[in-house]
Amino acid sequence: MKENPYWEYIRANVEPSTDRKRPSPVIHINEFKQAVELVGALMDRHLSVYPDALGSDEDSNGTFWDIDGYVGPALDFMTPATPEAQEWKSHRLKLATYYYLLRSAVVLGIDVEAEAFKSLCATSLEGAKSLLAANLDLPNAWWITDFRERIKGAGVASPERLEKISVQTVIRPQIYAYSFPGSRRIEVSAIVREHLRTVNLILLTISRGLLDPATRADTLATGENVIELLLPYVFSLYFPNVDHSSLPVPRTPSREVFLQACEVSQIQSHFLLAHEYAHMLHHEGRRPSIELELEADNFAYDLLLDSSEFFKGRHRHQAYMSVRWLFLYLSLDRIVGAVLSDYEPDWIDTPIRDRDALLVPRTSTVTAAAEEHNLRLAGDSLLFHAKHDLRERGVDWIKEQARIFQKKNCI
């Protein structure tokens, strides 16, 4: 295999940094059921300001609660689940997706005992059966509700006009958001934020490991094989019968890494929704084109980087890093999709590159401390390295890995 220039850049140029600690929600392992009940009553839904009220475990021993997902809204729709309520086998795919969404509400620290994970899975499965027994559409996650409230305060359109645009969650195994102007409706895949949070957790864990002098040597081997860590999640976007509950479950080394993974995925998900709102507000009756897609991206950038409703409580560099990582990951997605569809992969990926290029004029207003800059650089390099690795390993290798994935992870 040829020497990878991106990986060589990591070895030579990424400077170490020191993590700063800050609070995040954490629950004790034996309090999971109580936490499920408590989360429905929580008024503060923003992790960045949430007090450390659910416990004070050490970082790697904690069980971390993501309150912006589906558990809170789903509680209102859950009914007691009985064997007569549903034939679970006939709804296995939907049940597995519900289970995945509920289980994803909690991320374990690296030192948590396996028994805690089993208990968590059992509780999530019962919740999924209960939600399926209700026989209703999946409720919107809190991050969608949060976005809708923010955009109303951003001044991009009248509140009355925005209120007429509905957002509907759908069970679809893709990083998917699409607008239907005729019915004033936007669809978004239920798995979007949870999928992206998992990918970001992997990238942030490896990047921070590379930047820490104490862990850098051990982390290099993991980073060199990052494509093997990411591929199961990329493949999961291309098989309609994926059992998402069977995908690997990464842990977090610290509450800071967990908190940042949640925030980065939130920004990325907000970007996808903002892009679709642009189509609804400005492109009705116009034929789809690359120009309209770029206009929608610029609308989303304006919201995330300039609007006080989205900018408050965030760092501009974090928003910039989040969108850049999203595009780099989507490039991997498109390459794998082309291979599985028997098309010639576009290794340059001009459409994604053009969308990413829109960020360039804005970089002069994005400042960052050396630590933040190096973190983005490390994540960029990992994603470039993954793309380079795909090309080096070749189309036949990708197809073989896809066959293995399908056999192991599809219903």
Short mmCIF file of all heavy atoms in Angstrom, two decimals, residues 53-81:
data_model
loop_
_atom_site.label_atom_id
_atom_site.label_comp_id
_atom_site.label_asym_id
_atom_site.label_seq_id
_atom_site.Cartn_x
_atom_site.Cartn_y
_atom_site.Cartn_z
N ALA A 53 -26.64 17.27 37.45
CA ALA A 53 -27.61 16.93 38.49
C ALA A 53 -27.90 15.44 38.58
O ALA A 53 -28.51 15.00 39.55
CB ALA A 53 -28.91 17.67 38.22
N LEU A 54 -27.50 14.66 37.61
CA LEU A 54 -27.84 13.25 37.61
C LEU A 54 -26.72 12.37 38.16
O LEU A 54 -26.76 11.16 38.03
CB LEU A 54 -28.20 12.79 36.18
CG LEU A 54 -29.42 13.46 35.58
CD1 LEU A 54 -29.66 12.92 34.18
CD2 LEU A 54 -30.63 13.21 36.43
N GLY A 55 -25.71 12.94 38.76
CA GLY A 55 -24.64 12.15 39.33
C GLY A 55 -23.31 12.82 39.15
O GLY A 55 -23.19 13.86 38.51
N SER A 56 -22.27 12.23 39.69
CA SER A 56 -20.94 12.82 39.59
C SER A 56 -19.88 11.75 39.43
O SER A 56 -18.81 11.80 40.05
CB SER A 56 -20.64 13.68 40.83
OG SER A 56 -20.77 12.89 42.01
N ASP A 57 -20.17 10.74 38.63
CA ASP A 57 -19.21 9.66 38.40
C ASP A 57 -17.95 10.21 37.73
O ASP A 57 -17.97 11.23 37.06
CB ASP A 57 -19.80 8.58 37.50
CG ASP A 57 -20.93 7.83 38.18
OD1 ASP A 57 -21.33 8.22 39.28
OD2 ASP A 57 -21.38 6.86 37.59
N GLU A 58 -16.86 9.47 37.87
CA GLU A 58 -15.65 9.81 37.14
C GLU A 58 -15.92 9.61 35.64
O GLU A 58 -16.76 8.81 35.24
CB GLU A 58 -14.49 8.94 37.59
CG GLU A 58 -14.05 9.19 39.01
CD GLU A 58 -13.51 10.60 39.19
OE1 GLU A 58 -12.83 11.08 38.27
OE2 GLU A 58 -13.80 11.20 40.25
N ASP A 59 -15.15 10.33 34.83
CA ASP A 59 -15.43 10.35 33.38
C ASP A 59 -15.63 8.97 32.77
O ASP A 59 -16.69 8.66 32.23
CB ASP A 59 -14.28 11.05 32.66
CG ASP A 59 -14.32 12.55 32.85
OD1 ASP A 59 -15.36 13.07 33.26
OD2 ASP A 59 -13.30 13.18 32.57
N SER A 60 -14.63 8.13 32.82
CA SER A 60 -14.69 6.87 32.09
C SER A 60 -15.59 5.84 32.76
O SER A 60 -15.87 4.80 32.19
CB SER A 60 -13.28 6.29 31.92
OG SER A 60 -12.69 6.05 33.19
N ASN A 61 -16.06 6.13 34.00
CA ASN A 61 -16.96 5.22 34.69
C ASN A 61 -18.41 5.68 34.58
O ASN A 61 -19.29 5.06 35.16
CB ASN A 61 -16.59 5.14 36.17
CG ASN A 61 -15.27 4.42 36.36
OD1 ASN A 61 -15.01 3.42 35.71
ND2 ASN A 61 -14.43 4.94 37.23
N GLY A 62 -18.66 6.76 33.86
CA GLY A 62 -19.99 7.33 33.81
C GLY A 62 -20.87 6.67 32.76
O GLY A 62 -20.40 6.00 31.84
N THR A 63 -22.17 6.86 32.91
CA THR A 63 -23.16 6.50 31.91
C THR A 63 -23.82 7.79 31.50
O THR A 63 -24.54 8.40 32.27
CB THR A 63 -24.20 5.52 32.50
OG1 THR A 63 -23.51 4.41 33.07
CG2 THR A 63 -25.14 5.02 31.42
N PHE A 64 -23.59 8.23 30.28
CA PHE A 64 -23.90 9.60 29.88
C PHE A 64 -25.22 9.66 29.12
O PHE A 64 -25.45 8.87 28.20
CB PHE A 64 -22.76 10.17 29.04
CG PHE A 64 -21.44 10.15 29.75
CD1 PHE A 64 -20.57 9.09 29.57
CD2 PHE A 64 -21.09 11.16 30.62
CE1 PHE A 64 -19.36 9.06 30.25
CE2 PHE A 64 -19.89 11.13 31.29
CZ PHE A 64 -19.02 10.08 31.11
N TRP A 65 -26.04 10.61 29.48
CA TRP A 65 -27.41 10.72 28.97
C TRP A 65 -27.50 11.80 27.90
O TRP A 65 -27.17 12.95 28.13
CB TRP A 65 -28.32 11.07 30.15
CG TRP A 65 -29.76 11.06 29.78
CD1 TRP A 65 -30.51 12.13 29.41
CD2 TRP A 65 -30.60 9.93 29.75
NE1 TRP A 65 -31.79 11.72 29.15
CE2 TRP A 65 -31.88 10.38 29.34
CE3 TRP A 65 -30.42 8.57 30.02
CZ2 TRP A 65 -32.96 9.52 29.21
CZ3 TRP A 65 -31.49 7.72 29.88
CH2 TRP A 65 -32.74 8.19 29.49
N ASP A 66 -28.00 11.42 26.73
CA ASP A 66 -28.21 12.35 25.63
C ASP A 66 -29.69 12.71 25.61
O ASP A 66 -30.53 11.95 25.12
CB ASP A 66 -27.79 11.69 24.31
CG ASP A 66 -27.95 12.62 23.12
OD1 ASP A 66 -28.48 13.73 23.30
OD2 ASP A 66 -27.54 12.23 22.01
N ILE A 67 -30.02 13.88 26.12
CA ILE A 67 -31.42 14.24 26.31
C ILE A 67 -32.05 14.91 25.09
O ILE A 67 -33.20 15.32 25.13
CB ILE A 67 -31.59 15.16 27.54
CG1 ILE A 67 -30.85 16.48 27.33
CG2 ILE A 67 -31.16 14.45 28.80
CD1 ILE A 67 -31.06 17.48 28.45
N ASP A 68 -31.31 15.03 23.99
CA ASP A 68 -31.86 15.68 22.80
C ASP A 68 -32.41 14.70 21.78
O ASP A 68 -32.78 15.09 20.68
CB ASP A 68 -30.79 16.55 22.14
CG ASP A 68 -30.60 17.86 22.87
OD1 ASP A 68 -31.60 18.39 23.38
OD2 ASP A 68 -29.46 18.35 22.94
N GLY A 69 -32.44 13.41 22.13
CA GLY A 69 -32.92 12.41 21.19
C GLY A 69 -34.40 12.11 21.32
O GLY A 69 -35.24 13.00 21.46
N TYR A 70 -34.77 10.82 21.31
CA TYR A 70 -36.17 10.41 21.19
C TYR A 70 -36.82 9.96 22.49
O TYR A 70 -38.04 9.84 22.55
CB TYR A 70 -36.26 9.24 20.18
CG TYR A 70 -36.12 9.69 18.76
CD1 TYR A 70 -34.87 9.83 18.17
CD2 TYR A 70 -37.24 10.01 18.00
CE1 TYR A 70 -34.74 10.27 16.87
CE2 TYR A 70 -37.12 10.45 16.69
CZ TYR A 70 -35.87 10.58 16.13
OH TYR A 70 -35.74 11.02 14.85
N VAL A 71 -36.02 9.69 23.53
CA VAL A 71 -36.61 9.09 24.71
C VAL A 71 -37.69 9.97 25.32
O VAL A 71 -38.79 9.52 25.61
CB VAL A 71 -35.54 8.74 25.75
CG1 VAL A 71 -36.19 8.29 27.05
CG2 VAL A 71 -34.65 7.63 25.22
N GLY A 72 -37.40 11.25 25.52
CA GLY A 72 -38.38 12.14 26.12
C GLY A 72 -39.68 12.20 25.34
O GLY A 72 -40.75 11.90 25.88
N PRO A 73 -39.65 12.55 24.03
CA PRO A 73 -40.89 12.58 23.25
C PRO A 73 -41.58 11.21 23.18
O PRO A 73 -42.81 11.14 23.16
CB PRO A 73 -40.42 13.02 21.86
CG PRO A 73 -39.16 13.78 22.12
CD PRO A 73 -38.51 13.08 23.28
N ALA A 74 -40.80 10.13 23.13
CA ALA A 74 -41.39 8.80 22.99
C ALA A 74 -42.17 8.39 24.22
O ALA A 74 -43.12 7.60 24.13
CB ALA A 74 -40.30 7.77 22.69
N LEU A 75 -41.80 8.91 25.39
CA LEU A 75 -42.49 8.53 26.62
C LEU A 75 -43.99 8.84 26.54
O LEU A 75 -44.81 8.11 27.09
CB LEU A 75 -41.88 9.27 27.82
CG LEU A 75 -40.51 8.77 28.29
CD1 LEU A 75 -39.99 9.67 29.39
CD2 LEU A 75 -40.59 7.34 28.78
N ASP A 76 -44.34 9.91 25.85
CA ASP A 76 -45.75 10.30 25.75
C ASP A 76 -46.57 9.33 24.90
O ASP A 76 -47.79 9.31 24.98
CB ASP A 76 -45.86 11.70 25.14
CG ASP A 76 -45.25 12.77 26.04
OD1 ASP A 76 -45.21 12.54 27.27
OD2 ASP A 76 -44.80 13.80 25.51
N PHE A 77 -45.88 8.52 24.08
CA PHE A 77 -46.58 7.64 23.15
C PHE A 77 -46.51 6.17 23.56
O PHE A 77 -47.13 5.32 22.93
CB PHE A 77 -46.00 7.79 21.74
CG PHE A 77 -46.26 9.13 21.12
CD1 PHE A 77 -45.40 10.20 21.35
CD2 PHE A 77 -47.37 9.32 20.31
CE1 PHE A 77 -45.65 11.44 20.79
CE2 PHE A 77 -47.62 10.56 19.74
CZ PHE A 77 -46.76 11.62 19.98
N MET A 78 -45.74 5.89 24.60
CA MET A 78 -45.56 4.50 25.00
C MET A 78 -46.80 3.97 25.72
O MET A 78 -47.41 4.67 26.52
CB MET A 78 -44.34 4.35 25.90
CG MET A 78 -43.01 4.51 25.15
SD MET A 78 -41.60 4.25 26.24
CE MET A 78 -40.25 4.56 25.11
N THR A 79 -47.15 2.73 25.42
CA THR A 79 -48.24 2.04 26.10
C THR A 79 -47.71 0.70 26.60
O THR A 79 -46.70 0.21 26.10
CB THR A 79 -49.42 1.80 25.14
OG1 THR A 79 -48.95 0.97 24.06
CG2 THR A 79 -49.95 3.09 24.59
N PRO A 80 -48.35 0.10 27.56
CA PRO A 80 -47.88 -1.21 28.02
C PRO A 80 -47.83 -2.20 26.87
O PRO A 80 -48.78 -2.35 26.10
CB PRO A 80 -48.94 -1.62 29.06
CG PRO A 80 -49.50 -0.32 29.53
CD PRO A 80 -49.50 0.58 28.34
N ALA A 81 -46.72 -2.89 26.74
CA ALA A 81 -46.52 -3.82 25.63
C ALA A 81 -46.89 -5.23 26.06
O ALA A 81 -46.42 -5.72 27.09
CB ALA A 81 -45.07 -3.78 25.15
#
